[in-house]
Amino acid sequence: MRIAHHRRVFAVAVTTAAAMLTIIDTPAHAQPSSPAAPSLSNSDTTELAQLAEGYLQQRADMLTTTRTTARAAGARVQATRAMTVRVQDDLAALAEKGRRYKEVDGGYTKAEVDVKVTDTSVTGQSATLQLTEHTRLHLPFTPQEVEDGAPEYEELSLPHTVTFTQGSDSAWLLSSDKADTEGGPTPTTQVSDVDVDAGTDDGAGKPDEDEGSKGPGAGTDPLPAGSVDSVVKPSASASYNYNKMAAYADKYWDHHNSAFRTYGNDCTNFISQAMLEGGWGPKGGAIIQRTSNKYWFYGPTKFTTSYTWAGAENWYWFAKKHSERTKILDNVWKLAKADVLQADWDRNNNIDHSMIVTKKYHGTPYLTYHTGDTHNKSLNKLLSDHPRTWWYAHRT
């Protein structure tokens, strides 16, 4: 069983079709007028998608080493008066995050943002877009280093609800942006407040067993020079294929496999799928066994699937204690490709989140996970974002 972290993000803006935005106070003549609601034409939909993409590009650019200042970025965005201050604060916070990331591992050299609009609606003079942000944040590696195994970029996929207001001069002003950031680590392009939401469904539950104490979490101190890459897992063992585990995560990090259902907090469901692909065999399968951490299986419904399949805390006990399919490492920097890292964000002895290593380059593991969907985020950045977390590192 887990406690989900609920993060809500609110921001503001409007842009030009060229994906550059300007935050300004709304002029008096651009305040929403009262008469009839406009219809949303195809050209309006296209324009709003471009404005949203440009705004999200502006946010991502603040994370890069080539960013402008927050003030200069703010001068490129139009928004309603009520939202201007909030977006200015977000841009400044993202710039600070970008500086911190540069210090820990070089940061990002450039950002590329695409959006996919999935739904639009109009109420009065307000237009709402449901869209997904797909962002690539390029890492400071040369083409030769990428050829040698370094990740070229970190990726994220993030749903948004974006609302625009149309003034009397027909100009569209971005009035709100809510990103769906429940459950996992704060998405890289977001600045979030954290609270606790125990209602996010992850298929977990209180197990039949009293498991006792986990013991200390993994250390985070860097390993001595020369020892980090001394542990190299084979691509496959007699029982498991580690390349298949990592390849599965690479393929489905943002393209969820339709053969499996998706949970509100999907991180451990995703990990179990990768382990199954790499050779983990189901254990058990009877409905009466689903509440025991001794069993691990996927069924046609949530109620015929074991708690250990999708619950982070339950998965820990099956993997480490009951099946001994994983070995707990004493330091996170010992993680290798296809190993699993779990997090207890608030140190309440209840694991919240699971991730898989999809790359390791020059001693740094790069993690991939669902909720929120992220591909190849460096361990350095995760440790920097979550300095108080208890970590549990599994050798698979």
Side-chain angles (χ1 to χ4, degrees), residues 30-47:
Q31 293 300 315
S33 52
S34 49
S39 60
L40 201 61
S41 66
N42 289 339
S43 60
D44 283 334
T45 301
T46 300
E47 177 188 359

Side-chain angles (χ1 to χ4, degrees), residues 243-311:
N243 279 351
K244 281 188 175 182
M245 292 175 181
Y248 185 94
D250 286 333
K251 180 177 181 180
Y252 289 109
W253 73 270
D254 73 334
H255 174 62
H256 293 205
N257 188 344
S258 60
F260 298 89
R261 67 185 153 273
T262 298
Y263 290 84
N265 188 329
D266 200 57
C267 61
T268 307
N269 176 38
F270 178 56
I271 296 302
S272 284
Q273 292 171 35
M275 298 299 104
L276 184 70
E277 178 73 11
W280 279 30
K283 185 174 182 181
I287 294 177
I288 197 173
Q289 296 170 331
R290 70 181 294 262
T291 57
S292 171
N293 287 344
K294 295 177 181 178
Y295 303 97
W296 179 80
F297 55 89
Y298 182 85
T301 70
K302 172 185 173 182
F303 300 103
T304 57
T305 297
S306 67
Y307 288 169
T308 57
W309 180 271

